[in-house]
Amino acid sequence: MAPVTRKSPAPPGPTKRPRTASPRTKTRTPAAAGTRRAPRAVRRRTHGGASTPASGVVITGGASGIGLATALLLAETGRSVAIWDRDGTAARRAAARCRDEFGVRALGLKLDVTTTASLAGAVTRSRNEVGSIGGLVHAAGIGGAMPVTLIDDESWDRVLDVNLRAAATLTRALHASLLEANPGSAIVYISSIEANVGSPFLPAYCASKAGLLGLTRSACTVLGPDGIRVNSICPGAVDTPLLAPLLELPGARERLMTNTPLGRLAQPEDIASVVRFLLSDEAAYITGTSVVVDGGMTSRGAV
């Protein structure tokens, strides 16, 4: 009978402990693990190949001229708009157009942008009516033709208050809303080529529009870390109510057209399309700068 060979027992190894869930590990439910819902402001719409934030935009001076054209173009992309204008009837009419023609949420609000105390209420009402606010376009502006040797304090202050000081107070009033609506929040100030050239009859206007360029550069350094972009646009001669008094002078329209290499005045939509671009994701790396949209007028040096 052959001897029975017994295998030696294996040397003892490390004891394996049953795996238990770590107290720091949260159990993921199938719904949480399989779906990710983007925040409301992150969702994007597309228009003509350009992606745009889904948040609303406040537009000052939005009842006419560049402001109105901007409101309509933004509404066309699907963005809700809050139109602030000192002409309340015109603002409501513009908002109705945005709703009727493009089916977006829109508010028309009577507002004097120089009345700082009214801004908080306007922001609250706009958020309630159109949702999150991820854009600001300061298109409200006034002229005031008077040489520096004759201009009075009241006229000077009024132009600077509307064109420049309001841009700063609006930015401050909307900062929290823009931050909340991120990513994609942006600000566009409507400056002018008069910021870069000297008009003898528009000292306050020139100063205010030049000040907007300085504000653009300053604000972008503060708001950039928050993901909020700030840019400005310098239009040339635009056929708007602001320019209407000049265009009524004999030969003025023809002279401006002659001085513009493209041979025509700008239409409000020419400027509004650049605003729309600067508020879109296509301009995601553009901040702290100004865009001249003047048909080549300043290149010729004849303003």
Side-chain angles (χ1 to χ4, degrees):
M1 180 174 179
V4 178
T5 304
R6 294 183 179 182
K7 297 181 179 180
S8 301
T15 304
K16 294 184 178 180
R17 297 181 181 179
R19 297 181 66 181
T20 59
S22 170
R24 294 184 180 181
T25 303
K26 294 183 179 179
T27 303
R28 299 178 66 187
T29 63
T35 61
R36 293 182 64 188
R37 183 174 181 180
R40 177 178 55 185
V42 175
R43 297 174 187 149
R44 297 291 191 262
R45 299 186 178 96
T46 58
H47 178 80
S51 177
T52 181
S55 55
V57 180
V58 168
I59 306 164
T60 68
S64 64
I66 295 171
L68 175 59
T70 297
L72 294 173
L73 280 182
L74 290 175
E76 185 183 14
T77 69
R79 296 193 76 165
S80 57
V81 291
I83 298 169
W84 297 0
D85 199 283
R86 60 182 178 181
D87 186 340
T89 300
R92 290 187 291 272
R93 185 165 56 244
R97 284 189 63 184
C98 293
R99 290 192 298 268
D100 296 343
E101 296 179 23
F102 304 108
V104 301
R105 300 166 69 181
L107 168 69
L109 187 64
K110 180 177 182 179
L111 184 77
D112 181 348
V113 294
T114 66
T115 308
T116 306
S118 66
L119 296 183
V123 171
T124 299
R125 184 174 175 187
S126 296
R127 286 169 58 97
N128 291 338
E129 293 285 339
V130 306
S132 65
I133 302 295
L136 165 64
V137 180
H138 181 44
I142 59 175
M146 191 177 298
V148 69
T149 53
L150 298 176
I151 193 168
D152 57 87
D153 290 353
E154 183 179 355
S155 298
W156 177 274
D157 290 345
R158 178 63 179 165
V159 173
L160 269 290
D161 282 351
V162 173
N163 297 358
L164 179 57
R165 185 174 67 85
T169 56
L170 287 162
T171 301
R172 183 180 65 204
L174 284 162
H175 177 234
S177 297
L178 294 169
L179 191 60
E180 182 181 337
N182 257 335
S185 292
I187 297 170
V188 178
Y189 303 131
I190 303 300
S191 182
S192 169
I193 59 171
E194 302 288 356
N196 300 313
V197 298
S199 174
F201 300 106
L202 296 169
Y205 185 80
C206 290
S208 67
K209 295 302 186 177
L212 281 177
L213 302 188
L215 177 61
T216 298
R217 292 187 290 267
S218 175
C220 94
T221 64
V222 175
L223 301 180
D226 292 337
I228 302 170
R229 298 179 296 103
V230 187
N231 293 291
S232 57
I233 296 175
C234 296
V238 187
D239 198 348
T240 65
L242 183 63
L243 196 64
L246 173 62
L247 297 179
E248 292 174 358
L249 299 176
R253 180 183 292 270
E254 292 73 17
R255 184 172 65 255
L256 288 172
M257 293 171 63
T258 299
N259 290 339
T260 304
L262 290 183
R264 67 175 178 87
L265 300 184
Q267 294 302 308
E269 292 76 15
D270 292 317
I271 313 304
S273 63
V274 182
V275 175
R276 181 175 61 183
F277 165 71
L278 290 174
L279 292 177
S280 78
D281 292 337
E282 301 301 301
Y285 203 62
I286 301 175
T287 191
T289 193
S290 59
V291 181
V292 176
V293 188
D294 69 348
M297 180 180 285
T298 50
S299 296
R300 176 169 285 179
V303 178

